[in-house]
Amino acid sequence: MDAADMGRDLSNVLISEDELQTKIKELAGQIDADYAGKDLLIVGVLKGAVMIMADLARALHIPVQMDWMAVSSYGAGTKSSGVVRVLKDLDTDIANRHVLVVEDIIDSGLTLSWLLNNLQSRNPASAEICALLRKPDAVKVPIDVKYVGFDIPSEFVIGYGLDYAERYRNLPFIGTLAPHVYGGE
Ligand code: XMP
Ligand code: MG
């Protein structure tokens, strides 16, 4: 799927496919250096982190294991509540392991802050976060994100794993939606 396939539904491309891929190689370079000689488990947060996990894992030169978690923080509303439910837990015992959580986007930061606390209670050797995107509100929660791809404005974005009503995850870029898609004019 690309911009042409979206027609009038696309408002604009915020981060192009090239920019994404360049940034991911840069992040992979830092992770390669930081975890050289260590045994690393990368944990993707379903479903949004599928694309960044797939590209980041292939851009790394160090060998890694991959696992997945699915969490839900929204209940009925559209804002993070901070109350997180684990829908799918790790298959891996992370005690004494180096863990890097890979996430698509940090908005309020509540989801990741809960997740990091949860993982830390399992006594990993280390637990860090890599987020492709970060919105300005994330600064309100004292959460240490070791790797960030892009700081973006506080607007709803889609593509490259991110969805609106489960659609547009398979775009190779990050974009914004035209208002009519949300039921606006
Ligand atoms: P918090 O607020 O807890 O939430 O940091 C992070 C989660 O919120 C979702 N999210 C978005 N999903 N476009 C999306 O498709 C967005 O612009 C957006 N902002 C937040 C996402 O699931 C993320 O994991
Ligand atoms: Mg997510």
Side-chain angles (χ1 to χ4, degrees):
M1 192 182 199
D2 62 22
D5 298 314
M6 287 196 63
R8 297 173 52 241
D9 289 358
L10 181 68
S11 174
N12 71 296
V13 175
L14 198 62
I15 307 168
S16 72
E17 182 172 2
D18 275 358
E19 289 171 315
L20 283 173
Q21 295 303 328
T22 301
K23 181 65 73 177
I24 287 163
K25 288 196 179 74
E26 197 183 303
L27 291 171
Q30 293 169 19
I31 295 167
D32 275 337
D34 293 349
Y35 291 93
K38 291 181 178 153
D39 183 28
L40 179 64
L41 175 74
I42 56 174
V43 171
V45 185
L46 293 169
K47 306 171 192 171
V50 164
M51 302 296 179
I52 166 86
M53 273 286 273
D55 285 340
L56 181 69
R58 285 178 294 181
L60 289 170
H61 288 280
I62 55 166
V64 292
Q65 290 174 30
M66 298 168 77
D67 202 346
W68 302 89
M69 274 184 89
V71 296
S72 143
S73 58
Y74 279 14
T78 54
K79 277 270 167 205
S80 226
S81 58
V83 180
V84 177
R85 254 185 333 139
V86 176
L87 306 176
K88 186 224 167 283
D89 206 345
L90 295 173
D91 296 328
T92 319
D93 178 2
I94 60 167
N96 303 313
R97 300 286 312 267
H98 292 286
V99 178
L100 179 63
V101 177
V102 178
E103 191 33 322
D104 49 1
I105 188 165
I106 309 184
D107 188 352
S108 71
L110 290 170
T111 307
L112 268 183
S113 140
W114 184 93
L115 192 59
L116 202 60
N117 274 332
N118 178 287
L119 295 181
Q120 255 145 10
S121 72
R122 309 181 198 192
N123 301 312
S126 68
E128 301 286 355
I129 295 168
C130 172
L132 180 63
L133 307 173
R134 180 170 61 185
K135 289 187 180 178
D137 277 352
V139 299
K140 289 183 198 157
V141 174
I143 174 169
D144 192 17
V145 185
K146 192 162 184 193
Y147 310 96
V148 179
F150 301 89
D151 279 297
I152 62 165
S154 199
E155 45 182 341
F156 196 79
V157 292
I158 45 108
Y160 199 69
L162 292 152
D163 72 303
Y164 173 68
E166 293 299 327
R167 295 179 68 197
Y168 312 114
R169 290 192 198 273
N170 59 328
L171 287 170
F173 58 83
I174 303 283
T176 51
L177 283 174
H180 75 86
V181 181
Y182 302 101
E185 75 284 1

